[in-house]
Amino acid sequence: MLLTIVASVCLLAWVNGANDNFKGVATLFGAGVANYRRALGWGTTATLLGGIAAVYWGQDLLARFSGLHVQPNWPDPSFPLAVGLAAAITVTFATQLGMPVSTTHALIGALTGAGLASGHDFPWRTLLNTIFLPLLVSPVVAMTITLALYPPLRWMRRRLGIVKRSCVCIGAAETEILPAEVSALVRAMPLQISVGNMNQCQEIYAGRLLGLPAEKVLTVLHYLSAGLVSFARGWNDTPKIAALLIISPVFQGRPSLALLIVAGVMAAGGWLMAERVAETLSHKITPMNAGQGFTANLATGALVLLANWYALPVSTTHVSGGSLFGLAWLTGQGRLGIITSIALCWVFTLPISMVCGYCLRAIF
């Protein structure tokens, strides 16, 4: 039974990495600042460091998700087994669809379903105040912060004389759509045009900031903000999953070992299986440039770090998603169909994992 519990928790950590590791660096890939592998490597490294940080600063979250709110005395090892498998099944299904969902929601639903199946009095008020409310409020707060941050940051950029510039790519597919007036203008003016590819055609920032080229400064800040989000996510998610391990004799009194195992498996799962969710977050929600991506990361990282400090179980998925939804609203370029699909997946994560938790607890 012990090996089965460890296997179920490792499976949950693996699919959590596959679904969540790219959320911090999606703006790097989406804005063309980094390619997929570079963004994924940075996000996975920062997530692993966040998981290691949870060894020192994640004890409160570890206690909150140990199931004590739902099942005070862990009647037998089958309870954490049912919870881990139910959450893993839910997140795996969403990952295969390329939908970013909340492992936190899946865990809460699984804990709730398994707790109901155990037949004990259920502490609804405690769950509502300590877990459900932070989960419900966090995406709205993230969207609000993004909406509030972007206008003053854009105003500051313009005041500093930093302007946007775009390049033009000309190739076999593009030249045929050039109007005659543009072709004549190109021939008449002493312009030098080179052929590029679409990966090179991106919006850049011209000007200087702190005495340095603005584009380089923004790139560094964008990487740092993405790393901050990934670090905060690793710190926030690792204790939630590791909590399912600490009830076993092997890990009792050794929570650091449980946290390190979960952090390592989470990083591996993200490195090997993040591509589907990465495409959804980076390119399907809304087009973005580097400045917009930096703003979204700043809002996400600040909110998740604040929640970590106060041991509030927010969902990094909902926070990062809320920030991207805020960008979509600001730019008016959001793709309503994919945003609606993601929102529906968020709505159904909790009841699906609850049903799975209830059924698996009844079986075990």
Side-chain angles (χ1 to χ4, degrees), residues 148-162 295:
L149 273 179
Y150 186 65
L153 288 177
R154 181 176 55 186
W155 176 85
M156 185 182 301
R157 170 180 66 79
R158 291 172 176 172
R159 290 287 295 176
L160 292 172
I162 300 171
T295 304

Side-chain angles (χ1 to χ4, degrees), residues 31 53 69 80 117 144 146 151 158 167 191 195 219 226 254 264 324-325 354:
H69 293 90
T144 303
T146 302
R158 291 172 176 172
C167 68
L191 298 178
V195 177
T219 297
R254 304 170 69 183
L324 291 176
F325 295 167
M354 188 183 300

Side-chain angles (χ1 to χ4, degrees), residues 117-198:
S118 297
H120 291 269
D121 292 335
F122 204 74
W124 289 109
R125 185 179 297 276
T126 302
L127 279 174
L128 178 64
N129 294 332
T130 61
I131 295 179
F132 286 150
L133 281 179
L135 287 173
L136 291 172
V137 170
S138 57
V140 178
V141 174
M143 183 182 294
T144 303
I145 293 175
T146 302
L147 291 171
L149 273 179
Y150 186 65
L153 288 177
R154 181 176 55 186
W155 176 85
M156 185 182 301
R157 170 180 66 79
R158 291 172 176 172
R159 290 287 295 176
L160 292 172
I162 300 171
V163 297
K164 297 178 184 179
R165 287 183 179 173
S166 299
C167 68
V168 177
C169 285
I170 297 180
E174 286 76 20
T175 52
E176 62 183 17
I177 65 171
L178 284 175
E181 294 82 359
V182 176
S183 300
L185 180 64
V186 169
R187 288 194 300 269
M189 297 180 65
L191 298 178
Q192 197 171 38
I193 298 177
S194 60
V195 177
N197 58 59
M198 291 307 296

Side-chain angles (χ1 to χ4, degrees), residues 223-291:
Y223 265 93
L224 289 175
S225 68
L228 177 68
V229 174
S230 296
F231 177 87
R233 192 200 76 76
W235 177 7
N236 191 272
D237 280 5
T238 302
K240 300 171 186 175
I241 301 173
L244 298 175
L245 285 178
I246 63 172
I247 53 90
S248 69
V250 174
F251 296 100
Q252 280 182 355
R254 304 170 69 183
S256 298
L257 178 59
L259 289 164
L260 289 174
I261 289 174
V262 169
V265 176
M266 186 189 298
W271 177 253
L272 295 173
M273 294 184 61
E275 191 167 359
R276 292 190 180 186
V277 175
E279 183 62 25
T280 299
L281 286 169
S282 301
H283 297 129
K284 293 184 179 180
I285 295 177
T286 181
M288 69 186 85
N289 59 35

Side-chain angles (χ1 to χ4, degrees), residues 77-87 110 114 356-357 360-361 364:
S78 64
F79 187 87
L81 176 60
V83 172
L85 283 178
C356 288
L360 288 173
R361 174 62 180 145
F364 296 147

